[in-house]
Amino acid sequence: KMKTKITISLLLVASLFIATGCEDFLQKDPQGELTQEAFPVTASDALLATNAVYVSVRDWAYHSGGYPILDIMSDDAHKGSNPNDQLPTVGPYETFSFTSTQDGLDRWWSALYEGIKRANVVIEKVPLITMDEQLRNRYIAEASFLRGLFYFDLARAFGGVPKVTTTTPATKIPRSSDDEIFQLVISDLEFAAQNLPEKSLYGPDDAGRATKGAAKALLARVYLFLGDFENVEKYALEVIVSDEYDMEAVFTDANGKNGEHGVESVFEIGAMEVEGAGGNQYANTQGVRGSPNRGWGFNRPSLDLRNSFETGDPRLSATIIDLGETLDGILILGDGTTPDEVVVDGVVTEVECYNQKVWYPGRNTITQWGHNRRLIRYSDVLLMAAEALNENDKPGDALLYLNQVRERAREGNNTILPDITVTEKNALRNAIMEERRHELALEGHRFWDLIRTGRAAAVLGPMGFEAGKHELFPIPQNEIDISQGSLQQNPNW
């Protein structure tokens, strides 16, 4: 059963800061509560405050309000679970019939601003602490990276939002323009890229912390969304030539337990096999429903996604769990209250299946909380580089990185997934987009790829997407009410 989640309004950004942190990074429950006046003042406080920012990305609501609505709103997935489970809550996202009061939007908004609040504490207070200068700069850079991540999520989803960069903001803050928010994101990430260490310079106890490569990769993603391909090329290639990353030999390890903090992981959310603090409910929300009981079963892969894979592509079976399959010695039988097939007018429109990318070895729902969600993978960096190089009229270089991704997907079988050789810009652009779909399926990218390339109306129109409206989510109505008029709603909402 879903636990009640506490909603935090934007006004709480201005309230008393409650700091939570961990003695060992991402390994223990948050320790203690300290008032803003007395925290942080020491080097150990600075570590606690920095760790507290990372806690925000393990909040269930950080993941688009809890449910994987970004996949459900794309052509890659359906609501999932049994037909009636959370139908009024999640169902409207699949049909684009949600409103400004829809469940989840307020949680998503609040979780992002809670993370921003914690990041602001580090960015504002830690510079005043007498401590090792290099470590102090690293903490500030880690918080800057995370603040950039949070504001990027806000800007993509809601457009211009209130810009809060202090621990003592005004109680009523109007929306900044989307340009202003994106400039803040870029500034934060540039600072992080300049001051964070490379991944290889961290010890095992610090696995999962923000790195120079993560900051540059996220900059590439931001510029990709903005259509600035010159900067996408710049930052993606800097990550590539750093020699800090590679692809896992086996595709399933890129998101699986065997690849946690591995060569392909540019930035991931560390988690433990515990319910609540320390665990991550993202995978539990999508885990196999029924037998074995691994979760709620939301985010069911679509037939459209299934049928889009090239013949023999191993990523298909590594992305979708089918009934009757055996994973880690466990037979997947599924949920008795979920139809094996959904038939409309004599046509099968859905089959019971699950997202394999969140599969985590175990036999109960608690172990599923141990999945580490990869927010940035190296294969995504390669595909961003390929897309930018093609747009910048360098198709030969683009093919180099595109075909690296296909080579790994083949896993040594040279009879499948032949190298792409087309160099005409439109054809290569389409090939790269298809490769993104199959490589990154069910990882929250497809919806944004359709938005940024202007293809959303054509692809998602039959599902209910309206151009001029659904490119942005509505500002949660409760935030508009609380703001007493300082927040204005997005167009056509």
Side-chain angles (χ1 to χ4, degrees):
K1 184 178 179 181
M2 191 192 319
K3 293 186 173 181
T4 302
K5 297 290 175 181
I6 300 173
T7 300
I8 306 168
S9 76
L10 174 60
L11 289 181
L12 285 184
V13 177
S15 68
L16 183 67
F17 172 70
I18 304 298
T20 58
C22 307
E23 291 179 4
D24 298 319
F25 179 59
L26 292 181
Q27 294 298 311
K28 295 184 179 180
D29 292 348
Q31 305 289 316
E33 297 184 354
L34 301 166
T35 64
Q36 182 170 309
E37 288 76 13
F39 183 90
V41 294
T42 66
S44 59
D45 288 348
L47 174 61
L48 289 172
T50 304
N51 287 355
V53 194
Y54 287 95
V55 172
S56 295
V57 297
R58 286 191 298 173
D59 185 336
W60 183 70
Y62 165 75
H63 308 283
S64 61
Y67 297 96
I69 61 173
L70 298 175
D71 289 323
I72 292 168
M73 291 167 64
S74 79
D75 51 346
D76 282 357
H78 299 288
K79 174 184 77 72
S81 190
N82 65 49
N84 294 319
D85 187 20
Q86 301 298 315
L87 183 60
T89 300
V90 186
Y93 291 108
E94 185 174 351
T95 58
F96 290 91
S97 58
F98 55 92
T99 69
S100 61
T101 59
Q102 194 66 43
D103 180 90
L105 291 179
D106 54 347
R107 289 195 301 268
W108 190 11
W109 176 283
S110 298
L112 293 172
Y113 271 107
E114 176 65 19
I116 289 166
K117 180 179 72 173
R118 295 178 179 192
N120 285 342
V121 168
V122 176
I123 294 167
E124 182 177 297
K125 303 286 188 179
V126 169
L128 306 177
I129 298 175
T130 301
M131 59 178 292
D132 179 82
E133 182 178 3
Q134 185 175 6
L135 189 58
R136 180 174 59 205
N137 288 341
R138 196 197 87 191
Y139 290 161
I140 299 166
E142 289 179 68
S144 296
F145 170 84
L146 290 164
R147 187 173 72 176
L149 174 68
F150 298 140
Y151 267 121
F152 180 45
D153 287 344
L154 282 165
R156 281 194 302 187
F158 301 103
V161 294
K163 184 169 72 171
V164 182
T165 57
T166 173
T167 60
T168 55
T171 55
K172 293 174 65 175
I173 307 174
R175 297 178 65 171
S176 295
S177 69
D178 54 354
D179 284 345
E180 288 178 290
I181 299 301
F182 277 114
Q183 284 305 310
L184 174 62
V185 170
I186 291 167
S187 175
D188 276 348
L189 296 179
E190 285 177 342
F191 179 84
Q194 292 165 6
N195 290 278
L196 287 172
E198 294 284 12
K199 180 180 178 180
S200 58
L201 296 179
Y202 280 118
D205 290 343
D206 287 318
R209 290 194 181 276
T211 64
K212 186 180 297 293
K216 290 181 177 181
L218 188 52
L219 274 165
R221 183 177 293 174
V222 170
Y223 281 118
L224 188 71
F225 189 77
L226 295 174
D228 181 344
F229 294 106
E230 183 177 338
N231 274 308
V232 178
E233 177 182 336
K234 166 183 163 63
Y235 285 109
L237 291 183
E238 284 183 11
V239 176
I240 292 168
V241 301
S242 72
D243 289 329
E244 289 282 325
Y245 308 96
D246 202 345
M247 283 184 289
E248 298 285 349
V250 178
F251 177 74
T252 53
D253 290 343
N255 286 289
K257 184 175 181 179
N258 291 340
E260 289 179 353
H261 303 299
V263 293
E264 188 162 343
S265 177
V266 182
F267 187 68
E268 70 183 79
I269 302 172
M272 295 168 22
E273 298 174 34
V274 294
E275 187 174 4
N280 189 348
Q281 199 168 1
Y282 171 79
N284 170 254
T285 304
Q286 304 174 60
V288 174
R289 186 180 182 94
S291 179
N293 180 16
R294 304 305 313 283
W296 304 345
F298 291 102
N299 200 27
R300 176 174 302 134
S302 68
L303 290 175
D304 191 83
L305 172 63
R306 182 190 297 267
N307 295 333
S308 73
F309 280 87
E310 294 171 65
T311 301
D313 190 338
R315 292 174 296 190
L316 171 58
S317 61
T319 298
I320 300 175
I321 301 175
D322 284 312
L323 303 186
E325 189 175 344
T326 299
L327 287 174
D328 294 315
I330 302 172
L331 178 62
I332 308 299
L333 297 176
D335 179 36
T337 63
T338 299
D340 290 353
E341 294 184 345
V342 176
V343 180
V344 178
D345 296 329
V347 177
V348 176
T349 58
E350 288 187 53
V351 298
E352 183 181 357
C353 56
Y354 299 93
N355 177 7
Q356 186 161 329
K357 289 186 173 180
V358 299
W359 173 265
Y360 195 82
R363 295 183 178 272
N364 57 50
T365 58
I366 302 303
T367 51
Q368 190 74 11
W369 289 63
H371 169 77
N372 284 15
R373 182 184 180 188
R374 285 20 168 224
L375 292 185
I376 309 175
R377 292 200 285 120
Y378 183 60
S379 64
D380 182 19
V381 176
L382 292 174
L383 290 173
M384 288 192 289
E387 184 173 347
L389 288 161
N390 181 53
E391 298 298 335
N392 294 337
D393 300 313
K394 303 172 185 176
D397 293 339
L399 287 173
L400 172 68
Y401 297 117
L402 171 63
N403 286 322
Q404 282 185 28
V405 175
R406 291 176 67 81
E407 180 182 8
R408 190 277 296 277
R410 286 196 291 268
E411 296 180 2
N413 182 357
N414 291 324
T415 66
I416 58 172
L417 302 178
D419 279 358
I420 301 294
T421 57
V422 62
T423 56
E424 193 276 323
K425 181 178 277 189
N426 287 329
L428 183 51
R429 179 187 296 130
N430 290 335
I432 293 168
M433 287 300 294
E434 282 302 295
E435 200 67 31
R436 285 186 64 82
R437 187 181 191 189
H438 302 141
E439 176 70 22
L440 305 171
L442 307 178
E443 297 180 44
H445 297 284
R446 176 68 173 175
F447 178 76
W448 296 126
D449 282 347
L450 293 174
I451 292 293
R452 68 178 177 81
T453 58
R455 300 172 57 200
V459 175
L460 306 178
M463 296 166 52
F465 182 95
E466 297 178 24
K469 178 178 182 179
H470 289 121
E471 290 86 354
L472 294 175
F473 289 85
I475 303 295
Q477 187 59 46
N478 68 317
E479 294 293 340
I480 291 178
D481 295 341
I482 291 170
S483 77
Q484 299 178 349
S486 64
L487 291 183
Q488 300 297 312
Q489 187 54 273
N490 279 325
N492 298 315
W493 287 102

